[in-house]
Amino acid sequence: MRAPAKELFRDAAFPASDSSLFSSFSTPLAQFREEITWRRPQEICATPRLFAGSPQEGQVKQGLLGDCWFLCACAALQKSRHLLDQVFPPGQPSWLDQTYRGSFTCRVWQFGRWVEVTVDDRLPCLAGRLCFSRCQREDVFWLPLLEKVYAKVHGSYEQLWAGQVADALVDLTGGLAERWNLKDVAGSSGQQDRPRGTERRTCRQLLSLKDRCLLSCSVLGPRTGTRELGEFHAFIVSDLHELQDLAGRSVLLLRIQNPWGRRCWQGPWREGGEGWSRVEPAAQAELLSQLQDGEFWVEEDEFLREFDEVTIGFPSTEAGHLQSLHSGKVLCHTQELPGAWVKGQSAGGCRNNSGFPSNPKFWLRVCEPSEVYLGVLQRPRVRTAGRPGRDYQAVGLHLWKVEKRRVNLPRALSAPPVAGTACHAYDREVHLHCELGPGFYLAVPSTFLKDAPGRFLLRVFSTGRVALSAVQPAAPSPGRREAPPAGEWETVRLRGSWRAGQTAGGSRNFASYASNPRFPLSVPAGAGPRCVRISLRQHCRDHQCLPIGFHVFQVPADGGGQDASSLLLQEPLLSCVPHCYAQEVSRLCHLPAGAYRIVPSTYLPDTEGAFTVTVETRIDRRSIHSQEMLGQPLREASFMAVMKA
């Protein structure tokens, strides 16, 4: 009696239908809607296999789907068996095995954890052939199966139409990836903050990384090398080779792979190009013989000129530890904690906003001198309509050196951070790279706009031992509100103005800060510190408010002859910042006897306006025992870092 045919798995959660192909029918893929069919590998070729016998056979090739960014990241798995086994767990059935049931399982890293995703092996086809990604040998199926898994994670194939190579690299490795803007690098030789020759060191650094990690490059607009590329296309840097030209000068060539699988670059180092006349014929023959389908050579200068961006995945050891791109050291200590920006509570916006101190805060304890990478990975919001993709907030990260457990937040956060992102970026993950000494640091992730909600994961990778803790303000007593102490108060009002080119010096970020108005404040001796409220009110309509704030500087007891500019170069005793778009800002504080200077300012220099500074000093009739603490009490929920096994 003939055994009944085994029933093959059909994935009901990601069926072979339009719902798995399309999300909005907003891409060129929609024109093939009626022609796409679904077939299993054994219906496409006679002897399907999961992996290729050589790297050339498994080389990635792009089909009709605009997911070159994902395919470039997939090439990273071919550089490391450890990474490949992490994504494709060993023991997957073959199509000839008795255990084959038409399903395959992959692992994808999502927001801090590896997620197992199972799909059936029905793949989209046109005219009987794979219409999306495929390998150089079309009987190899690891790539189209992984593409289907990634499409399921994102909701449809169409959701993969555009993206960042860095994001896919993180999802396939669980590590880090950096993006280098080549236009910034190539144009940096005349800038003060980038030493001359930075672009040369950058390409030499790529040369040292080529065998250890994935290198990808992108063009963001049409290029002279080819017109058919259009915009926003990603390539794989498959090799770098340094040789001597006929004049004895060094020539650095980069071998670039186009995921389309055809040669499309018309630069001077194409086959038959004039660039080859500069080198020995034997070198030309050897390098041209290395090219596979879709590959071409470009010289270093052409690379920097014609390409816009390089993405680099951090190399990893067999033990699974990342290695620094900058030093090569092993980042063997890791820690991560989730967080959220909640509208009206902890979404304080960037440092321009007065609500910045309300952002989520984390202690980072560094136990020994360490090279440290910090990353803020935000969870994207899926677009419900329009073009496919993910929406991201503009996010940043800043780091301050602080004391343990108690910190005067306004004062600490008004000081310059020890490290910070150059700007708030619309990237899924932003990074800081620091060399940190032992001690405690306060990390503050933020969105650019206030009240912009979102969730994120703070990740730390370090060469030395670290501990990461979430900082939470102590809960206030129910029904209690802060109020000024009762008693008699002496009030002084001082009027002033900011005038462009004269007294509108702007905030402490600017060299002109010392030109701002300065008002004296004297606190008489007594039984203890005096309770003082300082207010700054600008004279304007609500919708015309400038961002305002103030600092208070203490005059040293022996500093009667000290000039004002020198005094303002010191750290202020207290501050009312970040600058706030409000008619009035104020601080209630306790000041010991002495002389002070109040310096009101706008955020930007040469911003004109009139204002009044009000100083209210409590008149003590008896000894005051203040309950106010210098700093905000914090409650730590500590998570100690451990070495990754």
Side-chain angles (χ1 to χ4, degrees):
M1 184 175 178
R2 190 174 183 179
K6 55 188 177 185
E7 186 176 349
L8 298 180
F9 174 64
R10 292 173 174 263
D11 186 2
F14 199 66
S17 66
D18 282 357
S19 64
S20 298
L21 289 171
F22 305 103
S23 57
S24 61
F25 298 95
S26 60
T27 68
L29 185 61
Q31 65 184 295
F32 300 102
R33 178 180 182 181
E34 302 298 331
E35 304 174 49
I36 293 178
T37 59
W38 298 78
R39 298 191 179 191
R40 297 186 189 269
Q42 64 270 37
E43 298 169 336
I44 299 173
C45 65
T47 55
R49 49 186 175 145
L50 193 57
F51 298 111
S54 68
Q56 289 75 25
E57 292 180 345
Q59 183 172 295
V60 302
K61 296 185 69 174
Q62 183 181 354
L64 297 177
L65 190 60
D67 61 348
C68 54
W69 60 284
F70 170 68
L71 301 184
C72 288
C74 287
L77 304 182
Q78 297 176 299
K79 285 182 172 286
S80 167
R81 188 70 201 185
H82 162 72
L83 293 178
L84 188 61
D85 288 345
Q86 196 167 237
V87 172
F88 269 96
Q92 303 272 355
S94 139
W95 286 270
L96 299 178
D97 292 343
Q98 291 295 319
T99 56
Y100 167 71
R101 290 295 182 269
S103 66
F104 289 84
T105 299
C106 294
R107 286 195 287 250
V108 180
W109 192 87
Q110 294 285 281
F111 207 66
R113 64 190 183 96
W114 287 97
V115 178
E116 286 199 347
V117 183
T118 299
V119 294
D120 63 37
D121 59 356
R122 294 178 292 174
L123 300 170
C125 294
L126 271 176
R129 297 181 63 190
L130 293 170
C131 61
F132 298 152
S133 74
R134 60 188 183 276
C135 294
Q136 182 69 28
R137 282 287 301 266
E138 295 190 30
D139 60 349
V140 175
F141 286 93
W142 72 271
L143 183 62
L145 286 171
L146 181 56
E147 183 184 50
K148 184 173 184 177
V149 164
Y150 206 56
K152 181 177 179 178
V153 168
H154 284 74
S156 71
Y157 278 94
E158 196 174 42
Q159 285 287 348
L160 305 185
W161 191 267
Q164 291 289 344
V165 177
D167 297 346
L169 271 172
V170 172
D171 290 344
L172 296 181
T173 65
L176 292 171
E178 280 193 1
R179 294 165 57 195
W180 295 355
N181 187 322
L182 292 178
K183 294 300 170 276
D184 288 347
V185 171
S188 65
S189 57
Q191 298 177 9
Q192 293 182 357
D193 59 340
R194 288 183 182 267
R196 186 174 297 274
T198 300
E199 66 275 15
R200 301 299 176 190
R201 288 196 295 275
T202 298
C203 286
R204 292 303 182 274
Q205 191 173 3
L206 294 181
L207 186 64
S208 67
L209 292 169
K210 67 170 185 174
D211 295 324
R212 297 191 291 134
C213 55
L214 177 101
L215 307 176
S216 173
C217 57
S218 302
V219 293
L220 305 181
R223 284 294 179 263
T224 57
T226 177
R227 294 182 179 178
E228 60 179 310
L229 281 180
E231 299 179 342
F232 309 111
H233 191 53
F235 301 80
I236 300 162
V237 181
S238 51
D239 194 14
L240 291 91
H241 188 83
E242 191 169 18
L243 70 162
Q244 299 292 318
D245 66 10
L246 295 175
R249 294 185 297 264
S250 176
V251 177
L252 181 62
L253 297 178
L254 298 91
R255 194 168 87 202
I256 311 296
Q257 178 190 341
N258 179 10
W260 286 351
R262 62 179 184 270
R263 299 178 190 177
C264 62
W265 200 263
Q266 301 301 315
W269 294 87
R270 67 188 184 278
E271 190 169 357
E274 62 272 19
W276 296 108
S277 63
R278 295 167 47 191
V279 301
E280 295 285 354
Q284 173 186 354
E286 179 186 355
L287 293 179
L288 289 176
S289 69
Q290 296 176 13
L291 296 179
Q292 304 295 319
D293 288 346
E295 291 187 328
F296 53 91
W297 291 100
V298 296
E299 191 180 0
E300 179 181 11
D301 289 338
E302 181 186 6
F303 177 73
L304 291 170
R305 183 177 65 253
E306 299 292 342
F307 290 84
D308 295 291
E309 189 175 83
V310 167
T311 300
I312 308 166
F314 279 51
S316 63
T317 66
E318 287 299 318
H321 303 308
L322 297 185
Q323 292 179 271
S324 167
L325 288 181
H326 298 82
S327 68
K329 295 179 181 178
V330 178
L331 305 170
C332 52
H333 298 270
T334 65
Q335 182 68 146
E336 60 188 36
L337 282 177
W341 297 290
V342 180
K343 184 176 181 179
Q345 300 179 31
S346 60
C350 66
R351 296 177 71 204
N352 298 336
N353 297 297
S354 60
F356 178 78
S358 67
N359 279 303
K361 293 168 285 293
F362 298 84
W363 286 115
L364 174 66
R365 182 182 180 185
V366 180
C367 302
E368 53 195 316
S370 301
E371 182 180 3
V372 180
Y373 286 85
L374 297 97
V376 178
L377 175 73
Q378 56 177 317
R379 185 186 286 274
R381 298 172 296 175
V382 179
R383 299 190 184 107
T384 56
R387 63 187 179 90
R390 298 292 187 271
D391 280 328
Y392 296 109
Q393 304 281 6
V395 298
L397 175 64
H398 293 84
L399 194 69
W400 281 265
K401 186 79 165 63
V402 292
E403 299 297 328
K404 186 182 179 183
R405 294 188 181 278
R406 295 189 184 277
V407 59
N408 185 321
L409 272 179
R411 185 171 182 179
L413 298 182
S414 65
V418 297
T421 49
C423 63
H424 282 66
Y426 288 97
D427 292 336
R428 191 177 76 168
E429 186 167 27
V430 296
H431 301 142
L432 280 183
H433 172 233
C434 322
E435 294 283 348
L436 299 179
F440 289 86
Y441 298 83
L442 189 66
V444 184
S446 62
T447 58
F448 182 75
L449 296 176
K450 186 178 180 181
D451 286 333
R455 297 169 62 190
F456 65 88
L457 187 70
L458 179 65
R459 302 201 288 163
V460 180
F461 300 82
S462 174
T463 57
R465 291 176 294 116
V466 294
L468 190 64
S469 308
V471 176
Q472 298 179 1
S477 302
R480 293 187 60 183
R481 296 180 60 187
E482 181 184 3
E488 299 178 38
W489 292 78
E490 179 180 87
T491 302
V492 176
R493 290 185 174 86
L494 306 166
R495 294 181 65 90
S497 62
W498 296 292
R499 292 287 176 258
Q502 301 176 35
T503 59
S507 66
R508 295 181 70 218
N509 296 335
F510 302 94
S512 56
Y513 176 74
S515 65
N516 280 301
R518 298 175 293 276
F519 297 93
L521 168 63
S522 179
V523 176
R530 293 292 183 97
C531 186
V532 179
R533 181 188 291 277
I534 303 172
S535 303
L536 171 63
R537 183 179 182 82
Q538 58 179 313
H539 306 312
C540 66
R541 297 182 179 180
D542 287 340
H543 66 281
Q544 296 176 334
C545 285
L546 304 172
I548 59 172
F550 63 83
H551 297 282
V552 178
F553 298 85
Q554 185 169 20
V555 179
D558 57 351
Q562 186 181 38
D563 64 82
S565 297
S566 299
L567 176 66
L568 268 56
L569 289 175
Q570 301 175 6
E571 284 297 313
L573 179 69
L574 64 91
S575 304
C576 186
V577 290
H579 290 68
C580 178
Y581 286 92
Q583 276 204 319
E584 182 172 321
V585 295
S586 66
R587 279 291 309 275
L588 181 68
C589 55
H590 286 79
L591 298 177
Y596 303 85
R597 296 290 184 271
I598 304 171
V599 183
S601 64
T602 58
Y603 182 73
L604 294 176
D606 294 334
T607 308
E608 296 196 334
F611 62 85
T612 298
V613 173
T614 302
V615 180
E616 301 168 88
T617 306
R618 190 176 187 277
I619 302 174
D620 294 321
R621 301 303 183 189
R622 54 197 176 101
S623 178
I624 292 179
H625 301 282
S626 174
Q627 299 300 311
E628 184 180 358
M629 305 182 71
L630 185 61
Q632 182 179 357
L634 304 174
R635 185 175 74 246
E636 279 191 341
S638 183
F639 294 79
M640 296 302 295
V642 296
M643 182 176 288
K644 189 175 181 181

